Amino acid sequence: MMNYRRRKTVSVNIGGIPLGSDYPIRVQSMTNTSTDDIEASVAQCLRIAQAGAHYVRLTAQGVKEAENIGVIRQHLREQGCDVPLVADIHFNPKAAFAAAQVTDKVRINPGNFVDPARTFKSLEYTDEEYAAELERIREALIPFIALCRKHGTAVRLGVNHGSLSDRIMSRYGNTAAGMVESVMEFLRVFVAERFTDVVISMKASNVVVMVEAVRLLVATMDAEDMHFPLHLGVTEAGFGEDGRIKSAVGIGALLSEGLGDTIRVSLSEEPECEVPVAQKLVDYVTSREGLPPIDGEVSRRFNAITPERRATIPVGEVAGGKLQPVVIASCAPSRTTPQPDFYYSEAGAVDDEHRFIVPLKAYTGKANEFPLCTTLNELEQCGETRMKWFQMPADTAVEHLEPLRGRTDVALVVTPAHAQVSMSIEALLHRLVDADLRLPVVPRIAYADDDCEWLQVKAGTDFGALLLHGFSDGVWLEAPKAASAQEVVACEFALLQAARLRMSKTEFISCPGCGRTMFDLQTTVRRVQAATEHLTHLKIGVMGCIVNGPGEMADADYGYVGASRNRISLYKNKTCVEKNIPEEEAIEHLVALIKSEGDWRDPS
């Protein structure tokens, strides 16, 4: 965990472009055209391939759509495009059998390939009945495996949080452990049949659940001597800044741990827009290969699968303890909301309305000023101030901090000391844990990029790793070349929201769209956002179809789901409360539903 190193996996051939640890991390996307529209699907596949994707996935609701993928593949080959095509199957094993004969890979969902459609009802099984269900899975998979072997077709076992079968839910609940067991039931059959062209994905719109599920899966596979490659993705990530940062936090954190062999960034945008973001993620993390190593050890107290927030002392009723992580901004105050907790000013505070961190030389002792010190001597010069910040590089020896043990008036600011940015800071945090030094820590990381997307990718990867390991009591992001200071502040709040540590705006869980989508997804997401973006306490799902919408927006408070062409169904959590509303009336009905449940707040 201190130094980047890919997890070793078996290799899987997908249409002549293999993946696994012996090959580069592959990037992919998925069409949102109807698979029945051959011409439009071919054109979009070409755009995705030209953007740099190694694989393209298309939805196949039935046998006809599955066979159409073979036709689309033939058209692409005739135009000189050899990109491998992947069929996406839900609830229809017959479509999977058809796709296995004409595509390069077939994605099946263990939650609905054999088990019936979800009813979200609690079921009870005896051990004998449960064993009989496992035998039914084996009997259904063996002919599918044989067909894939015959045609050289790879398989992705793709589990989504919220699309677990009622059978799995009855024993494990809607948990990461349930996701892992759902895929392991299938994987054990593939291993017994000696079929190894298998890739596995564990996806969720909740970044914390997605990361936990992948880590737990790897540990479970290791225990059973399985080493299959991983497909990473945060499903229903959304669009714009939120979708990019959410994806970077989850995917970037796992890539940094050496996990992941192919990735997809799922955005509610045109699919070719996903590819550059994914490639930036891959490039940023893999640039660590061959760098000088970081000298450090993982604390014995650290739980690598489900890390807890590091125990710290609350300081100044601002940072540490159980307080929400702080946001620090290196810019002048503005009227934008939300406001950072602290502004940093080299020259000293400029008004009395905001809290400032200032260098000791600029400290005047005003109530809204908090000194930033860089030596222990400077700390002592501050006297009896209620809170001080002590900044140091990540390679500082823990012994140097011993004089601070037990103090309740000092919070640490840590800057990177290595090109492996987050890992150098983590190395110090592990040393602090072992030494039981409980001062709160805020990483201060600066980036020289003037490209907004690069900033989102890098900050998401580095801060994401620290936040998801429980190693940060705040964020201090600096990007002097960014378009605006407000853009950087927005990024900081988005990082904390993606890690589910501090909610500052409405969270929109929106799918990227596919051939099953029942409305213009991008326009609809923006309309829903315009009506509800002030409801910062809510999570709202916007899902294109009924097939996976109710399950995969498992984390949402309310759902706006395509029921049929230009018809919408509304959900409260997983319960459908209104069906088949004309699309032009659906936003009004959604607002009325939120009001009837007592969750509406008028815009301020």
Side-chain angles (χ1 to χ4, degrees):
M1 291 178 63
M2 295 300 170
N3 296 283
Y4 175 71
R5 183 175 64 252
R6 286 273 299 278
R7 164 181 169 261
K8 298 300 291 182
T9 73
V10 301
S11 297
V12 174
N13 181 45
I14 302 170
I17 300 182
L19 64 78
S21 58
D22 289 337
Y23 300 94
I25 297 172
R26 307 298 191 184
V27 167
Q28 57 183 283
S29 184
M30 183 176 182
T31 62
N32 58 20
T33 54
S34 169
T35 315
D36 285 331
D37 189 336
I38 303 296
E39 183 177 352
S41 296
V42 169
Q44 196 168 72
C45 287
L46 285 170
R47 290 196 298 274
I48 294 171
Q50 288 163 359
H54 299 104
Y55 314 119
V56 178
R57 183 158 46 113
L58 302 94
T59 189
Q61 303 97 308
V63 171
K64 179 174 177 290
E65 289 83 1
E67 292 173 343
N68 283 347
I69 298 177
V71 178
I72 292 165
R73 184 169 69 164
Q74 183 59 39
H75 280 287
L76 290 170
R77 301 299 178 265
E78 290 171 356
Q79 297 187 46
C81 179
D82 294 328
V83 64
L85 300 187
V86 183
D88 190 69
I89 310 295
H90 289 278
F91 296 110
N92 195 337
K94 290 181 180 179
F97 277 79
Q101 302 175 62
V102 297
T103 63
D104 301 294
K105 183 168 75 170
V106 179
R107 179 272 176 105
I108 60 173
N109 186 339
N112 56 43
F113 185 75
V114 177
D115 286 303
R118 300 177 308 276
T119 61
F120 302 112
K121 293 180 179 178
S122 178
L123 305 176
E124 293 186 6
Y125 292 88
T126 65
D127 290 343
E128 292 76 14
E129 289 170 338
Y130 206 90
E133 292 298 306
L134 296 182
E135 177 60 23
R136 194 163 62 87
I137 288 173
R138 191 186 73 84
E139 291 174 355
L141 282 177
I142 285 177
F144 176 65
I145 292 171
L147 191 62
C148 290
R149 195 194 312 273
K150 176 182 177 181
H151 291 276
T153 307
V155 175
R156 170 153 75 100
L157 299 178
V159 177
N160 282 9
H161 182 232
S163 69
L164 303 178
S165 68
D166 289 336
R167 179 179 57 80
I168 287 288
M169 293 275 286
S170 70
R171 289 209 168 183
Y172 297 92
N174 192 27
T175 62
M179 294 171 69
V180 170
E181 186 57 28
S182 181
V183 77
M184 290 301 295
E185 290 178 351
F186 277 55
L187 198 51
R188 291 175 187 124
V189 178
F190 279 85
V191 170
E193 293 299 309
R194 295 182 173 83
F195 185 93
T196 59
D197 275 340
V198 180
V199 183
I200 306 168
S201 67
M202 312 288 281
K203 294 190 176 184
S205 61
N206 182 324
V207 171
V208 177
V209 172
M210 172 264 193
V211 170
E212 179 188 347
V214 172
R215 290 172 178 158
L216 182 58
L217 170 67
V218 171
T220 304
M221 285 199 295
D222 285 348
E224 299 190 28
D225 196 26
M226 298 181 188
H227 309 284
F228 292 96
L230 300 172
H231 169 131
L232 302 183
V234 178
T235 191
E236 289 93 39
F239 66 98
E241 174 193 65
D242 292 341
R244 284 160 175 78
I245 290 178
K246 202 172 181 181
S247 295
V249 168
I251 299 172
L254 290 170
L255 288 177
S256 298
E257 295 174 20
L259 305 179
D261 305 282
T262 179
I263 70 171
R264 181 199 176 189
V265 173
S266 299
L267 301 175
S268 299
E269 302 174 20
E270 291 304 311
E272 55 266 33
C273 295
E274 300 178 347
V275 180
V277 188
Q279 194 58 60
K280 285 183 173 76
L281 268 171
V282 172
D283 291 346
Y284 183 53
V285 175
T286 57
S287 68
R288 301 169 182 177
E289 291 178 332
L291 291 174
I294 293 171
D295 182 19
E297 294 183 2
V298 176
S299 169
R300 295 183 302 276
R301 304 181 190 181
F302 182 70
N303 184 332
I305 296 175
T306 55
E308 295 182 354
R309 185 174 173 183
R310 171 176 160 264
T312 59
I313 298 168
V315 173
E317 298 182 357
V318 172
K322 295 183 180 180
L323 297 167
Q324 66 180 4
V326 299
V327 173
I328 303 173
S330 293
C331 64
S334 71
R335 294 184 180 275
T336 59
T337 56
Q339 290 279 346
D341 300 288
F342 291 92
Y343 289 94
Y344 176 69
S345 172
E346 284 278 1
V350 294
D351 63 39
D352 295 323
E353 297 180 8
H354 303 88
R355 289 187 293 197
F356 289 86
I357 297 174
V358 299
L360 183 61
K361 64 181 184 328
Y363 179 62
T364 65
K366 293 172 67 176
N368 66 326
E369 288 181 352
F370 298 79
L372 179 69
C373 305
T374 56
T375 68
L376 295 177
N377 285 337
E378 286 186 346
L379 275 180
E380 296 309 315
Q381 294 174 34
C382 294
E384 296 297 322
T385 60
R386 62 195 183 284
M387 180 182 182
K388 313 164 188 69
W389 296 90
F390 181 50
Q391 180 170 296
M392 60 185 188
D395 57 0
T396 299
V398 169
E399 292 76 14
H400 181 65
L401 302 176
E402 274 299 326
L404 303 180
R405 183 179 292 278
R407 290 185 63 161
T408 60
D409 62 339
V410 178
L412 303 180
V413 173
V414 178
T415 58
H418 194 281
Q420 299 191 71
V421 173
S422 62
M423 293 174 178
S424 74
I425 296 174
E426 285 210 25
L428 172 64
L429 268 297
H430 282 284
R431 296 197 298 272
L432 292 179
V433 169
D434 281 339
D436 200 31
L437 277 169
R438 300 194 174 195
L439 300 170
V441 169
V442 176
R444 181 182 184 181
I445 306 175
Y447 300 94
D449 302 275
D450 57 5
D451 179 279
C452 182
E453 196 166 82
W454 264 117
L455 175 63
Q456 292 161 351
V457 163
K458 290 183 179 182
T461 298
D462 292 328
F463 281 102
L466 294 164
L467 293 168
L468 294 175
H469 281 159
F471 278 163
S472 182
D473 295 289
V475 293
W476 188 346
L477 167 63
E478 295 180 301
K481 296 182 181 179
S484 69
Q486 287 67 41
E487 187 176 82
V488 178
V489 172
C491 185
E492 291 181 292
F493 279 102
L495 290 167
L496 292 175
Q497 180 142 335
R500 295 299 174 94
L501 292 173
R502 182 170 177 175
M503 305 297 285
S504 57
K505 54 186 172 182
T506 314
E507 179 154 348
F508 294 98
I509 302 169
S510 61
C511 70
C514 68
R516 296 185 294 263
T517 302
M518 295 297 178
F519 48 75
D520 182 332
L521 186 69
Q522 295 177 43
T523 300
T524 301
V525 169
R526 285 170 171 78
R527 289 180 60 222
V528 173
Q529 183 182 37
T532 61
E533 62 185 353
H534 64 288
L535 303 175
T536 57
H537 59 301
L538 295 182
K539 298 185 288 291
I540 297 177
V542 182
M543 309 298 292
C545 74
I546 204 71
V547 174
N548 289 300
E552 293 180 12
M553 63 175 191
D555 219 25
D557 300 299
Y558 294 91
Y560 181 109
V561 180
S564 59
R565 188 60 60 188
N566 301 319
R567 293 280 171 168
I568 307 301
S569 291
L570 298 180
Y571 285 73
K572 176 72 173 81
N573 303 124
K574 291 182 180 179
T575 302
C576 183
V577 295
E578 204 169 352
K579 295 181 179 180
N580 298 316
I581 308 163
E583 186 179 358
E584 60 272 16
E585 302 173 11
I587 300 291
E588 179 183 344
H589 283 244
L590 174 63
V591 170
L593 172 61
I594 296 172
K595 288 181 176 179
S596 71
E597 295 288 336
D599 287 328
W600 182 264
R601 297 173 183 172
D602 290 330
S604 58

